[in-house]
Amino acid sequence: MMTAVKNASGGMATPWSKARADFPLYTNGRRKIAYLDSAASSLTPEPVLAAMDAYYRECRANVHRGMYAESEDAGARYDGAREKIAAFLRAAADEIVFTRGTTESLNLLAYSLSRKLGPGDEVVISIMEHHANLVPWQQLAKERGFALEFIPLAADLTLDMRAARALITPKTKIVSVTYASNVLGTVVPVRELADLAHAVGAVMIVDAAQAAGHRPIDVRELDCDFLALSGHKMLGPTGIGVLYGKRGRLEALPPFMFGGDMILDVRKEDSLWNEVPYKFEAGTPNIAGAIGLGAAIDYLGKLGLDAVRSHEREITDYALAALAKIPGVTVYGPPSGSDRAGLVSFTIEGVHPHDAATVFDRQGVCVRGGHHCAMPLLRELGLNGTLRASFGVYTAPEDVDALVAAIIKTKAIFNV
Amino acid sequence: MTDIAHDMIPEAASAAEEIYKENILDHYRHPRNRGAFSPCAFKHREINASCGDDLELFVDLADGKMRKVAFEGRGCAVSIAAVSMLTEHVAGMTLAEIEKLGKDAMLGLLGIPVGPSRLKCALLGLKTLQNGIAAHRTAL
Ligand SMILES: Cc1ncc(COP(=O)(O)O)c(C=O)c1O
């Protein structure tokens, strides 16, 4: 049996226990929960809800169209959100394209960039990719005839950089990798890969879905050409995301969707594209969503991203230590001490992850069980699924204690 | 060990035990009618890719009725218990009778509350059998 786990915070009020009060799901939800599924979607704090609500109540109009005060106010809030995201990524505002999320950002890139690719060309991704950064390339590889190459994992479940150096060659036209694995928590040396990519003239794309909002991101420092993120994984609303692109790269890229707002001039036979980033934003955008994401960035800014990162790291270390003490529990992730995202994947011997997740649910412990949209990685690991506990700014050590109790309970029910 | 999860939801312990009651766990640990056999009238395989559940059913018929049905495969407790119970339940039934079995009949057989996220697990065995029958009919 497991020995008692001490509350890491000693039960004292910290900035984090105060932050928890900002998340209405804890007070208004149907039940008391230990929410440990932030990697799938984070909770949303009150100021984000308030910002979206204010848009709907105070200046509910379309942006960039109406020549009246309400539309101009809405436009200012929408463009203001773009400025906030630019500052958040250390980019310029015209390098920020609003999308529906990481998936749409990556599809946009895959479709638009692969137009110029064909037989003999290679796109390099990693075996850790979420399906969002794998299936688009795989399908376009079939259509366009280019090859898709996978950087493997080293034995310690970090990215095999030796293999990466061998795989990235003059044939490589695109390197697209996740910043942090949503299954293993492994953090990828993005800058090093960007240097390898640029040395052979390839475009560097970063899937930052699991990094944004959890650690400071500086696109100039990473030197990536494109970066994708999702608002709903960083305290923002669903349905809004970002594609960052270096200005020159965005200008060179053909538009992905056509329609209103993305044009300057339309004639019967041809059209002239709007300037970046509007060239990529066809149709009425998710105005409230963008405003909400801007508010999420303000909220994270108040907490401080370095502080967010160390809080999530502490909770992760606490969880790793607690899980290591439970017989029959196997943790999958990079070695202790390495840089990692705030999540822990594990299995309980003799219990299918879905059965465990169901028992956890009945205990108010919310985790994800399954393949986490990374089936090639799970196959590589020889697993058909894991349980994943993932953390956010609102996660308390008590949530991890509840997880441990739920694991013990599961083991008792399944008699393992 | 702190018991926070239990403090949080008093009825949690019983709710968890409800879905994994002894009967279900018994079928999971000791599935009935497990093991491929041949020759058989037909066999059919279905997978739940999202769960990694993978079932194959082997069917032998006599006078248009289930003489023997067995399964092979892997899955979670819910899907294995469900298919195990199903193989017992359908013995002696006609194909037409089996084709009429619906979701409610299967859940009734299981006798546990199954939420939307686990419904696919509970119904995989039935789906495999019914799709197998459909394929068998078209092959005739
Ligand atoms: C690493 C990674 N990439 C991409 C995605 C897809 O994000 P979205 O579903 O918000 O488009 C996810 C979400 O699970 C992810 O974890």
Side-chain angles (χ1 to χ4, degrees), chain A residues 39-40 100-104 106 130 132-133 178 180-182 207 209-210 230 232-233 368 372-373 388:
Chain A
R100 222 155 43 77
T102 305
T103 302
E104 184 178 310
L106 292 169
H130 185 280
N133 193 31
T178 190
S181 160
N182 65 319
D207 171 354
Q210 294 297 341
S230 293
H232 71 97
K233 291 187 199 281
R368 178 114 177 237
H372 316 293
C373 300
R388 179 188 68 189

Side-chain angles (χ1 to χ4, degrees), chain A residues 2 4-5 31-34 350 352 354-355 358-359 362-364 371 375 384 398 401-402 404-405 409 413-415, chain B residues 1-2 4-6 8-9 12-13 15-17 19-20 25 28-29 49-53 74-78 113 118:
Chain A
M2 160 86 219
V5 176
R31 55 177 191 160
K32 278 200 161 166
I33 54 170
H352 190 288
H354 285 177
D355 290 323
T358 296
V359 178
R362 307 294 159 112
Q363 319 268 319
H371 56 61
M375 291 174 99
N384 58 29
E398 288 79 1
D401 296 342
V404 169
K409 176 90 198 164
I413 289 176
F414 281 83
N415 199 17
Chain B
M1 187 65 242
T2 48
I4 283 170
H6 297 182
M8 288 165 66
I9 314 169
E17 269 139 25
I19 179 159
Y20 294 108
L25 290 170
Y28 175 51
R29 293 199 193 102
S50 65
C51 313
D53 293 350
R74 62 193 168 117
C76 61
V78 175
R118 303 303 302 280

Side-chain angles (χ1 to χ4, degrees), chain A residues 116-123 141 144-149 169-173:
Chain A
K116 285 195 181 153
L117 303 188
D121 294 329
E122 293 179 359
V123 171
R144 310 277 328 162
F146 61 85
L148 185 58
E149 301 289 340
T169 69
K171 285 183 173 176
T172 308
K173 297 296 177 286

